[in-house]
Amino acid sequence: MSAAGQAGFPEQGTGVDDLLAQVRAERSGDLDWRGGRAFSLVYNVDDPELERLQHEIAGIFLHENALNPFRYATLLRMEAELLAFARDLFGAGAAALSSGGTESIFLAVLTAREEAASRGVVDPELVCAATAHPAFAKACHYLGVELTRLPVDAGGRAVPELVAAAVSDRTALVVGSAPCYPFGVVDPIPELAAIAAEAGTLCHVDACLGGYLLPFWERLGRDVPPWDFRVEGVTSISADVHKYGYSYKGTSTILYRDRDTQQRQLFMYDDWPGGLYASMSAAGTRPGGPIAGAWATMVHLGAEGYLRLAGRVAQATDGFRAAIEQAGGLRITGEPVCSVFEFGADPADDDPVDVGAVADVMDERGWNLDRQQGGLHVMLSPGHDRVVDAFASDLADAVAEARSGRTGAGVGLAYGGVVEE
Ligand SMILES: Cc1ncc(COP(=O)(O)O)c(C=O)c1O
């Protein structure tokens, strides 16, 4: 009997070879991220040596648990070094590891809530732009913090005047994105941080997406607006190693300007018959594989490797942007800073192209562009530099088909999803 598609708990076991054959066969129809036509969920580094290293290291540390870091000395050293690397890259005073962007954001919101509580705030509030990642809404929902979301300007950036007007003595955290997911634009961080500092509250920069790319983008000589701890008033930053840090899933870093603020996310408990439970993040058991993978990826690539990969991402970005501009009738939203952006119909066009139809044709040709509310989302990895010409040619055809009267299925479809039985 097939292991796949069973509803009840499997009565009998399935042999390893059978099971692997089944899964391999099933997976052969899944989205092929190595082909360069997938975006955002997998960062295609297109580096076989790095992939070999990651597979090996994941296997070696598959079963280790960093719940008690002192039991696995190698993991402990790797985590400590990894955090030191992150502190050095971002000029942070303290750093901790988490399982992903959402957990890092939870920790930043928790820290802010605790800091506000120490100032007597009992009904804390978080102020951010509407482009902030849904993880902030989720964190506020879980942690009992009120969320104030503000409109953005025509370029998709937070508006300092609106933020200043919204901040009150209840504000626990002012949030900016570097960059935001939907448009890839960087909020005016110096202004937001100054507003937070003036109000005596914390300012978090969500660089989950761009954190490990922007420092190298800057070294390439590209324009990067100020966003990190060099900006006075920025108190914490989230940056995911499993995004442009190029490790496999399961690691993010949460960085603080100073160690005292970071201590607010520490949880200690000894009121039970077991030993002292101390933890810097939400998870209890922490899988060793992602920690080892993140460490090995950074050591293998080094700044030199990250710079080389940033160069490939930049080349892909230039190519995709040129293809969008040349297709006609399309416009990139706002002024994206790096390799993440949205494109949609040019509103100045007398007869705007149906972007849903463009998306349908692109889907038929095997591209998997996410459909946002106002257009299609592009997030480029190093491996996308191989598909620039194919993208340009398919996009030109897609626009031509949309222009010839085809109507599309629409935009604004799923970003995240729920799996039920
Ligand atoms: C800007 C930004 N923040 C936070 C997150 C959440 O990260 P994760 O999905 O790893 O929890 C994402 C994910 O894409 C993101 O783009």
Side-chain angles (χ1 to χ4, degrees):
M1 195 206 284
S2 160
Q6 290 185 132
F9 194 84
E11 198 58 46
Q12 279 147 8
T14 305
V16 172
D17 290 337
D18 282 354
L19 199 50
L20 288 175
Q22 265 177 35
V23 170
R24 287 204 174 102
E26 185 182 348
R27 193 172 172 274
S28 66
D30 287 354
L31 180 56
D32 167 28
W33 54 266
R34 285 191 184 81
R37 290 175 185 229
F39 301 90
S40 85
L41 295 175
V42 176
Y43 291 71
N44 175 14
V45 190
D46 190 34
D47 177 345
E49 269 301 274
L50 176 63
E51 230 186 282
R52 182 170 73 85
L53 171 69
Q54 291 179 340
H55 279 259
E56 291 262 338
I57 206 99
I60 294 169
F61 287 91
L62 188 60
H63 298 288
E64 263 88 335
N65 186 347
L67 167 62
N68 179 348
F70 305 108
R71 289 281 181 226
Y72 293 101
T74 309
L75 263 189
L76 172 64
R77 177 187 59 76
M78 286 172 160
E79 182 168 356
E81 281 188 17
L82 171 55
L83 294 174
F85 298 159
R87 277 204 314 276
D88 185 39
L89 183 65
F90 298 110
L97 212 55
S98 83
S99 63
T102 301
E103 190 182 354
S104 287
I105 286 169
F106 266 60
L107 294 166
V109 175
L110 170 74
T111 295
R113 189 191 71 179
E114 297 301 292
E115 195 276 338
S118 76
R119 291 186 271 122
V121 176
V122 291
D123 48 357
E125 161 208 51
L126 181 154
V127 177
C128 65
T131 46
H133 192 273
F136 288 99
K138 195 175 183 183
C140 285
H141 176 64
Y142 277 44
L143 295 168
V145 174
E146 190 184 322
L147 178 68
T148 298
R149 291 170 65 250
L150 300 168
V152 291
D153 66 17
R157 290 162 29 109
V159 182
E161 294 73 26
L162 295 182
V163 174
V167 165
S168 71
D169 53 10
R170 291 176 46 216
T171 305
L173 192 62
V174 173
V175 169
S177 303
C180 71
Y181 176 92
F183 309 132
V185 300
V186 172
D187 284 328
I189 303 298
E191 286 85 344
L192 301 187
I195 293 165
E198 167 84 23
T201 194
L202 303 186
C203 175
H204 180 78
V205 175
D206 177 17
C208 281
L209 186 50
Y212 283 91
L213 179 63
L214 293 180
F216 301 101
W217 206 255
E218 191 179 330
R219 286 184 210 180
L220 286 175
R222 302 220 166 197
D223 275 349
V224 177
W227 67 276
D228 57 16
F229 288 117
R230 286 173 289 180
V231 176
E232 204 63 40
V234 169
T235 51
S236 59
I237 292 176
S238 47
D240 294 356
V241 194
H242 68 197
K243 293 192 171 74
Y244 283 106
Y246 301 125
S247 191
Y248 49 89
K249 304 291 176 279
T251 40
S252 168
T253 45
I254 167 82
L255 303 127
Y256 291 92
R257 184 181 287 277
D258 63 70
R259 208 163 278 280
D260 286 350
T261 310
Q262 186 205 34
Q263 289 304 301
R264 298 191 186 276
Q265 81 176 44
L266 174 65
F267 181 77
M268 301 254 259
Y269 192 79
D270 65 359
D271 192 13
W272 75 315
L276 171 67
Y277 182 101
S279 158
M280 255 300 176
S281 57
T285 285
R286 293 189 304 135
I291 298 172
W295 174 85
T297 300
M298 286 187 191
V299 173
H300 172 67
L301 289 176
E304 185 189 46
Y306 280 104
L307 189 60
R308 175 173 39 81
L309 293 172
R312 289 189 63 184
V313 175
Q315 209 173 331
T317 303
D318 294 345
F320 271 63
R321 289 189 66 142
I324 291 162
E325 275 148 32
Q326 279 154 23
L330 298 173
R331 197 188 64 174
I332 289 171
T333 309
E335 288 178 23
V337 165
C338 52
S339 47
V340 181
F341 52 88
E342 178 192 80
F343 68 94
D346 187 346
D349 217 325
D350 289 342
D351 178 20
V353 69
D354 179 346
V355 180
V358 172
D360 290 348
V361 177
M362 294 303 274
D363 278 352
E364 285 161 18
R365 303 226 175 160
W367 299 94
N368 297 274
L369 298 161
D370 280 337
R371 296 172 191 228
Q372 305 203 118
Q373 318 276 348
L376 305 180
H377 191 254
V378 177
M379 182 184 293
L380 297 164
S381 304
H384 285 115
D385 66 352
R386 291 181 184 275
V387 297
V388 169
D389 291 346
F391 178 79
S393 143
D394 284 341
L395 188 66
D397 290 352
V399 170
E401 243 190 88
R403 288 269 187 231
S404 68
R406 177 169 173 158
T407 49
V411 288
L413 304 179
Y415 165 68
V418 175
V419 178
E420 282 178 301
E421 192 193 323

